[in-house]
Amino acid sequence: MLIETYADLICPWCYIGKRRLARALADRPRVQVELRWQPFQLNPDMAAGGMVRSAYLAAKFGGTERARQIHLVVEETAERDGLPLRLDRIRRTPNSFDGHRLIRIAARHGLGNRMADALFHAYFVDGLDIGDRDTLAATAAGLGFDFTEIKNLLNGDAETTAVFNADATARQLGLQAVPCYIFNRRYALSGAQEPASFLPLLDLGVEEQEGVTAAAD
């Protein structure tokens, strides 16, 4: 089963949703899954260097008090899920484009999913600026990549067109919010759903595959 996750690295619900999907997959060990990350930028017009977090929150939510209320819900949800989250450490809201490029670079080596996990952790737990190319290269080095090689790729145009095109495809599909999960390019599930919400679609994929196998026999 192919599961394409449309998400953004600065979206806390995408961070939570990724963990919930993993829990659902753990409940269905017989499902053979290919996980594929698909980029979606919540802030496609963000400056390349990002912006100060407090200014971003004020602009997006109309003030720090409203942002605090929203963050409280996110923090309580992450805590219930046993997911580490330190929003207080974040000082800049980054442009996530290079982070999406890095995931696609890692995917060439079968490590796209692990890179997404590493970037989520860097941002939501360590409070790092994942729009900074040195930070991105250091995160990649933690997965065994060469720091200088990754930095050179990011300073070039590696995966730039692919990320632009994938983001554009998401918008053509009508996506306006993430996360959104597409199963076998036929079924969609939106939002950071509870693990149980994924199970019917995972079971459906198994049934369809078994049907194809039986027909072939």
Side-chain angles (χ1 to χ4, degrees), residues 65-102:
E65 178 57 27
R66 176 59 178 157
R68 189 194 68 77
Q69 294 171 359
I70 293 172
H71 281 173
L72 183 61
V73 174
V74 172
E75 289 165 350
E76 289 175 346
T77 303
E79 184 177 2
R80 287 197 303 270
D81 281 25
L83 196 62
L85 185 69
R86 290 294 305 271
L87 297 177
D88 59 301
R89 291 180 174 175
I90 300 173
R91 294 292 176 265
R92 293 190 69 79
T93 297
N95 181 309
S96 59
F97 189 82
D98 282 344
H100 290 299
R101 292 173 61 208
L102 180 56

Side-chain angles (χ1 to χ4, degrees), residues 106 109 111 114-115 118 136-150:
H109 305 274
L111 295 174
R114 287 185 60 193
M115 186 63 74
L136 291 172
T139 302
L143 294 183
F145 290 93
D146 181 83
F147 178 97
T148 301
E149 181 181 356
I150 294 297

Side-chain angles (χ1 to χ4, degrees), residues 45-195:
D45 298 323
M46 174 69 73
M51 64 187 297
V52 175
R53 180 72 168 173
S54 58
Y56 171 78
L57 294 177
K60 186 174 182 66
F61 299 113
T64 55
E65 178 57 27
R66 176 59 178 157
R68 189 194 68 77
Q69 294 171 359
I70 293 172
H71 281 173
L72 183 61
V73 174
V74 172
E75 289 165 350
E76 289 175 346
T77 303
E79 184 177 2
R80 287 197 303 270
D81 281 25
L83 196 62
L85 185 69
R86 290 294 305 271
L87 297 177
D88 59 301
R89 291 180 174 175
I90 300 173
R91 294 292 176 265
R92 293 190 69 79
T93 297
N95 181 309
S96 59
F97 189 82
D98 282 344
H100 290 299
R101 292 173 61 208
L102 180 56
I103 291 174
R104 294 186 75 94
I105 291 169
R108 301 174 185 173
H109 305 274
L111 295 174
N113 194 48
R114 287 185 60 193
M115 186 63 74
D117 282 332
L119 292 174
F120 274 134
H121 191 279
Y123 185 60
F124 286 113
V125 181
D126 299 330
L128 299 178
D129 180 0
I130 58 170
D132 176 76
R133 289 176 178 173
D134 283 332
T135 299
L136 291 172
T139 302
L143 294 183
F145 290 93
D146 181 83
F147 178 97
T148 301
E149 181 181 356
I150 294 297
K151 183 73 178 294
N152 289 338
L153 287 171
L154 292 174
N155 284 338
D157 62 359
E159 300 295 342
T160 295
T161 299
V163 171
F164 270 128
N165 290 343
D167 188 277
T169 296
R171 297 176 198 281
Q172 290 168 5
L173 290 172
L175 268 66
Q176 297 180 335
V178 285
C180 182
Y181 307 91
I182 310 294
F183 296 77
N184 283 342
R185 296 183 174 170
R186 296 178 62 186
Y187 312 106
L189 186 65
S190 296
Q193 302 285 342
E194 293 289 344

Side-chain angles (χ1 to χ4, degrees), residues 1-7 13-28 31 33-37 81 83 113 117 179-183 189 191-199 201-202:
M1 168 175 275
L2 171 64
I3 302 178
E4 296 172 282
T5 300
Y6 285 87
W13 293 111
C14 296
Y15 175 51
I16 292 168
K18 193 172 190 303
R19 171 65 67 89
R20 289 179 171 182
L21 173 59
R23 287 168 55 194
L25 291 172
D27 284 341
R28 292 294 188 271
V31 181
V33 172
E34 177 188 354
L35 297 173
R36 189 175 299 171
W37 181 272
D81 281 25
L83 196 62
N113 194 48
D117 282 332
C180 182
Y181 307 91
I182 310 294
F183 296 77
L189 186 65
Q193 302 285 342
E194 293 289 344
S197 298
F198 292 98
L199 300 182
L201 288 172
L202 294 176

